[in-house]
Amino acid sequence: MTTHDVEIAIIGAGFSGLGAAIKLIQEGVDDFVVLDRGRDFGGTWRDNVYPGAACDVPSHLYSYSFALNPQWSRSYSHQPEIHRYINAVADEHGVAGHTLFGTEVTHAEWDEDTHRWNLRYTRDGEQHTMTARNLVGAVGPLCEPNLPDIDGIDEFGGTIVHSARWDTDYDFAGKRVAVIGTGASAIQIVPQLGRVVGHMDVYQRTAPWIIPRNERPYLGVENWAFKHVPGLQAAIRGGIYTFNEAVAAGMTYAPKALKPVEALCRANIFRGIRDPELRKAVTPAFAVGCKRILKSNDWYPTLDRDNVDLVTSGIDRITPTGIVTADGTVRDVDVIVVATGFHVTDSPVFDTIVGAAGESLAQVWDREGMAAYKGAFVHGFPNMMLLIGPSTGLGHTSMVYMIESQLNYLVDYIRTVRDRGLARVDVSKSAQDAFNTDVQHSLRRSVWVTGGCASWYQDHNGNITVLWPGFTFVFRNQTRRFDIAAYDVAVADESDTTESVTGKPVGIDA
Ligand SMILES: Cc1cc2nc3c(=O)[nH]c(=O)nc-3n(C[C@H](O)[C@H](O)[C@H](O)COP(=O)(O)OP(=O)(O)OC[C@H]3O[C@@H](n4cnc5c(N)ncnc54)[C@H](O)[C@@H]3O)c2cc1C
């Protein structure tokens, strides 16, 4: 067992954790470590290797603003290319030297005596410990696969594959396949499998709204222009961003304005499916935008294939050889593909982070609802910042934009802690509550509340705690500077223990 102390421990090496590391290096902070259980950088884009895995936000916007890539091969990037991009950015900034891969953090607990986070982690099968003045949780909201709780699933004799833990060695050719789920991952997987499997049953609980995907390869001359024409990439990025913000306005303030989007989705169904009954079965019964709007040109034609059936009767149980639906039909299969998403509001990682009162994030959020201040700081969990925590998710544009907004906040937080010699920084409950009251107020007329759907944007109380409502530039503005007035802080004395816990910001003139 080894143990050591760092100024900042970052858990996670996806877009968030890597971005944090780069910003700290640029700020001249050297005493930090990135811990990730995977084998390289990428998070989502390292783990989701299912066939067809791709981004729904155009490449020029789904990338760091400080690392534009003129070489994107397509208007929308696929998983291998994003994974390569993230690792190239990490190389360019020398982040590997700060990173421990194959390292799973199993416990992180705030120590009120030392004002440090005590971390336990496993690496190469061995237990280690570490202490850190500041903890950055960049563990990703879509990181922990959610296996459906269906009777008999453990007795299934064939193969079960989750979309986020794809078995690349499994040969689907000619197999009888069941796909459970019709969300963002399923609509990418199903068209790929449809071409090779013997037969496929797609189990749909709720049909999604799907618009056409205007994806195309870039011409060599375009890549040349992205590289050599000053400002071109930034202008394209700005155009995509602005268009997406208009969609955000509709979703948040005027769901009826999304009718043209619904018309586009309906036309997509009409174009892709011949059978009127099937068209009816895939038409959602909720307002467009209430769940994430998906993008595909080949989902509907795949459902229309002779070797593919859409099953809308609910799943009753799984047997050793197949699936039984509520109407009593038995369908035997060789493999079940589970595309049922992630533990978002109930991630197991929340059990492992324990705050000042000895309670875990899971316990606090279970009681009070999932909440943080600016999606980052949680009252009672001093010196800990989450990246894309509660109320930062988006249904319409790039999460990398939200991540970069929070990176500004992180850097200014670290600057503030250093400049003022702070030992303990805890967001006040009143600031956190006021922020979340505002978020819920902004949501009240939104499509996510009024649209008539259940979604993974909701926590167990039915509140939308995952999403940022409205324009993302408002969030960018709110996270530009670390607003110390919202925090209870204490300064460090020479022996590095607390001198005072003031309940008021230190160093702020009254
Ligand atoms: C299939 C899929 C498609 C998506 N498509 C889009 C899209 O089109 N547009 C969009 O904006 N967003 C999309 N997203 C969301 C995407 O997750 C974010 O855009 C972004 O990649 C999140 O980055 P992150 O670094 O915050 O989290 P992640 O990429 O999830 O990284 C988290 C990292 O934390 C590590 N980790 C977690 N727990 C521990 C632990 N206890 N110990 C050590 N390491 C740990 C994980 O190994 C992982 O590497 C998609 C997500 C998925 C799953």
Side-chain angles (χ1 to χ4, degrees):
M1 179 188 293
T2 57
T3 186
H4 43 271
D5 182 60
V6 291
E7 185 178 353
I8 305 162
I10 301 168
I11 312 174
F15 261 114
S16 297
L18 171 61
I22 292 170
K23 291 292 169 183
L24 291 176
I25 291 170
Q26 289 173 342
E27 185 63 17
V29 179
D30 194 43
D31 186 14
F32 73 89
V33 63
V34 182
L35 310 161
D36 197 294
R37 61 191 178 202
R39 290 285 159 198
D40 63 7
F41 295 96
T44 292
W45 303 103
R46 177 198 64 218
D47 292 343
N48 286 269
V49 295
Y50 59 77
C55 190
D56 274 353
V57 173
S59 316
H60 288 297
L61 187 58
Y62 194 76
S63 43
Y64 293 118
S65 64
F66 55 83
L68 298 185
N69 174 20
Q71 298 305 331
W72 290 122
S73 65
R74 308 182 72 78
S75 54
Y76 288 88
S77 301
H78 289 229
Q79 173 272 330
E81 194 167 2
I82 305 176
H83 187 210
R84 280 198 303 276
Y85 163 79
I86 294 174
N87 279 279
V89 174
D91 275 356
E92 200 179 312
H93 290 85
V95 184
H98 285 274
T99 309
L100 294 176
F101 288 116
T103 300
E104 171 136 26
V105 177
T106 52
H107 192 79
E109 185 156 356
W110 173 251
D111 185 330
E112 202 62 88
D113 295 330
T114 60
H115 290 130
R116 277 180 170 65
W117 282 92
N118 293 334
L119 272 68
R120 294 204 296 268
Y121 63 93
T122 54
R123 188 153 199 256
D124 298 328
E126 282 188 31
Q127 294 270 354
H128 303 272
T129 60
M130 176 184 288
T131 56
R133 244 179 210 286
N134 299 283
L135 183 64
V136 176
V139 292
L142 306 180
C143 196
E144 300 290 344
N146 181 19
L147 283 170
D149 184 17
I150 302 172
D151 264 3
I153 193 163
D154 294 336
E155 274 89 64
F156 181 62
T159 302
I160 297 184
V161 188
H162 190 282
S163 56
R165 298 288 180 269
W166 199 255
D167 180 353
T168 47
D169 293 332
Y170 188 85
D171 182 8
F172 282 83
K175 295 288 192 330
R176 295 168 306 167
V177 181
V179 177
I180 302 178
T182 53
S185 299
I187 73 147
Q188 296 181 338
I189 294 168
V190 163
Q192 302 295 319
L193 293 185
R195 298 184 192 121
V196 297
V197 300
H199 183 85
M200 179 162 54
D201 299 314
V202 179
Y203 290 81
Q204 169 186 286
R205 192 166 57 182
T206 320
W209 286 110
I210 303 176
I211 54 172
R213 186 179 171 93
N214 56 345
E215 179 183 328
R216 65 177 181 84
Y218 281 129
L219 304 170
V221 64
E222 289 176 288
N223 288 120
W224 182 91
F226 298 149
K227 186 162 183 187
H228 296 288
V229 178
L232 177 61
Q233 256 200 298
I236 296 172
R237 189 177 163 95
I240 301 165
Y241 174 78
T242 308
F243 176 81
N244 288 352
E245 289 301 282
V247 177
M251 286 173 161
T252 312
Y253 308 111
K256 285 202 173 77
L258 299 172
K259 280 286 169 197
V261 180
E262 185 182 317
L264 209 60
C265 295
R266 287 185 185 276
N268 203 18
I269 294 173
F270 195 80
R271 211 174 19 247
I273 293 179
R274 294 158 298 174
D275 173 7
E277 281 305 308
L278 187 54
R279 280 182 186 160
K280 221 159 104 189
V282 298
T283 304
F286 55 86
V288 71
C290 186
K291 284 167 168 279
R292 191 178 175 91
I293 302 170
L294 308 180
K295 295 181 179 170
S296 175
N297 301 329
D298 47 11
W299 166 255
Y300 294 126
T302 303
L303 295 185
D304 211 26
R305 287 175 71 107
D306 291 340
N307 67 335
V308 178
D309 286 333
L310 182 75
V311 182
T312 54
S313 180
I315 296 177
D316 179 57
R317 63 185 190 281
I318 293 178
T319 69
T321 57
I323 296 181
V324 184
T325 42
D327 58 6
T329 310
V330 182
R331 294 176 179 85
D332 283 344
V333 287
D334 303 305
V335 52
I336 300 176
V337 172
V338 181
T340 44
F342 299 87
H343 289 283
V344 182
T345 56
D346 60 346
S347 172
V349 86
F350 303 154
D351 289 308
T352 66
I353 300 176
V354 176
E359 282 187 308
S360 68
L361 261 185
Q363 286 170 312
V364 173
W365 283 349
D366 198 41
R367 192 179 55 245
E368 299 176 4
M370 192 177 170
Y373 181 65
K374 302 192 173 178
F377 285 83
V378 181
H379 176 67
F381 293 77
N383 298 17
M384 180 190 79
M385 179 167 170
L386 301 173
L387 291 175
I388 52 172
S391 305
T392 60
L394 304 172
H396 68 289
T397 193
S398 171
M399 283 308 297
V400 181
Y401 183 88
M402 297 302 270
I403 290 168
E404 285 197 48
S405 300
Q406 289 198 307
L407 295 182
N408 294 337
Y409 200 66
L410 170 68
V411 168
D412 207 38
Y413 160 69
I414 294 295
R415 234 180 247 150
T416 308
V417 165
R418 284 188 151 191
D419 292 352
R420 296 172 186 247
L422 302 180
R424 187 185 196 279
V425 180
D426 190 11
V427 67
S428 72
K429 186 78 168 72
S430 56
Q432 181 175 310
D433 288 349
F435 175 83
N436 286 290
T437 303
D438 273 359
V439 167
Q440 292 304 319
H441 186 75
S442 302
L443 280 163
R444 76 200 187 288
R445 280 186 290 135
S446 75
V447 71
W448 306 293
V449 169
T450 62
C453 74
S455 73
W456 56 264
Y457 299 149
Q458 294 158 326
D459 71 5
H460 65 283
N461 297 317
N463 294 323
I464 308 284
T465 54
V466 170
L467 287 180
W468 173 252
F471 299 112
T472 58
F473 57 77
V474 172
F475 187 75
R476 173 66 57 102
N477 214 29
Q478 289 187 10
T479 47
R480 206 165 283 287
R481 306 297 306 210
F482 182 71
D483 46 346
I484 194 170
Y487 293 80
D488 296 325
V489 297
V491 288
D493 65 14
E494 271 177 14
S495 62
D496 203 11
T497 56
T498 314
E499 195 172 81
S500 63
V501 176
T502 62
K504 286 203 188 93
V506 171
I508 291 274
D509 294 332

